[in-house]
Amino acid sequence: MRFLTGDLGARLGVGATALTLALPAHADVTPAEVWDDLSELLEGVGYEVSVTESESGGNLMLGDLTLRMAIPESEGQAAGDVTLGLADLTLEDLGDGTVGLRFPSPMPIELRVSEEGTEPVEMTLELAQQALSLVASGDPDALNYTYSAEATKLELVRLLAEGKELSRDIFSASLATGPLSGSSQVATADGKRRYSHSYQADELRYDLSGSDPEQPGSTGQVSGRVTGLTSRGESVIPEAAPGSDAAAIMGAGFEGSGTITFDSGQTTFALTDGGETMTGSSSSQGGSLKGAIDGTRMSYDFGLKALSYEAEGGDLPFPISAAIDQLGLNLSMPLAKSDTPQDMALGVTLGGLTLSDAIWGIFDPGATLPRDPATLAFDLTGKVTPLVSLFDPAGLTKLEEEETPPAELNALTLNSLTVSAAGAEITGQGDFAFNQEDTQSFGGMPAPEGEVTFNISGANGLIDKLIAMGLLSQQDAMGARMMLGMFTVPGSEPDTQTSTIEVNEQGQILANGQRIK
């Protein structure tokens, strides 16, 4: 059974947002106008909406609300559909030009995912709320939803898979929030809907547990907590024909960006197998996730602070623990076909990694090596020319059949490189341009031209310590020192070296001015 990813996942997300958030403004709005806007949004992203409408005292009751989205056949997978059934909703005229959205508590949510040739997966969820307020205001072309709740809890109460109903002993899941508040705005103009939202929750808690019915005694449990959660975002959704694929939606002007942050997070787990139980936990002191996408490019930036991990039991011979001061990843890349070079970037940071003495003791029981925090970090930027849109499956398939890469690499800059561990460190920076006309000099890849410089410290000291530990023989050490001598020159400080590797326009490779190819 496929899960909800890509184009389908995005549409489901928009549908869920439309049904669980609310909208603001300055003029009056009626229940019917609010529902018209929401239903148009749902249908616009591919849902078939089925509902029974009735009016009473100026209020609009929505009964038997069902949303269905078809899953087209793709990549050899059969077609299917996703059906979402919601409990009765009421859009209440509050008498001041605003509309309140009223949900029962707990509110049952029925989810059914089917695929041709397989048994459907069915879920029943219950959403409970305390002191929920959800109010729409404004006018049909500029709506604002404001919402707040003292607490919410979403819980899985029924799961049917492969024709069998799984008890809560086999699998259970729940997600709860503490006090929360937020707002979202939607405006319609020029055939496009523009959305923005802001959300805050003091606390989010999750709990998952399960067991393998085919292996008695095999169980797992994961629970966690996130504090100070915030989310902000904006998007533009263009009008598109029903069933439009991602390429059509992106080409019509889709845009989206958002930021999620949190103050702290903790997770605990317990896994039992064969009578052995492994327990552990992880924590962090905050983090963030930023992203943006449109028809031409995407960017992504993820970071965690002060991440720690520990575990014991199970197959582990002893308790282990590790911590890292900073964990980060950033990526920026073009998505659309282009005749000119486009910007790209990639960065990774694993900063300040420390391991417990028990882990160090495996390979360094005598504490010969310095146990300073280790770091691996690099920052790359460059230029690439995309030969095909990433939203063009036919074009990608053709390039794959022709064994042609999807993009040309035009230039690459190493803005920074840091590798440090066990008392040694390497830093570097440099840049290269690539000649697309010359694919012979370097075995089929475009010929590079440029240079990169490395600074090395502590290498000989590390070699000496590895010899003392018996991890490196004298003969191997001699070979390593000879390599250092061939590719580096001494630095200004003891046990330091520098190395400049250059590739010139003739295809020659030089190390510190000496030709090596």
Side-chain angles (χ1 to χ4, degrees), residues 423-485:
E425 182 179 67
I426 301 174
T427 62
Q429 57 278 319
D431 60 83
F432 291 90
F434 294 84
N435 182 2
Q436 306 297 324
E437 304 299 323
D438 180 4
T439 57
Q440 303 300 318
S441 300
F442 288 85
M445 68 170 285
E449 181 181 352
E451 66 177 39
V452 59
T453 299
F454 298 101
N455 296 292
I456 307 168
S457 65
N460 283 303
L462 178 57
I463 291 173
D464 291 338
K465 291 180 175 64
L466 293 176
I467 293 172
M469 295 168 60
L471 297 178
L472 191 66
S473 69
Q474 289 285 357
Q475 184 176 357
D476 291 337
M478 183 180 297
R481 294 187 204 275
M482 289 179 63
M483 292 292 290
L484 276 174

Side-chain angles (χ1 to χ4, degrees), residues 163-183:
K164 298 179 181 179
E165 186 164 341
L166 305 181
S167 70
R168 300 184 69 177
D169 292 335
I170 295 177
F171 183 75
S172 66
S174 65
L175 178 68
T177 63
L180 63 89
S181 63
S183 66

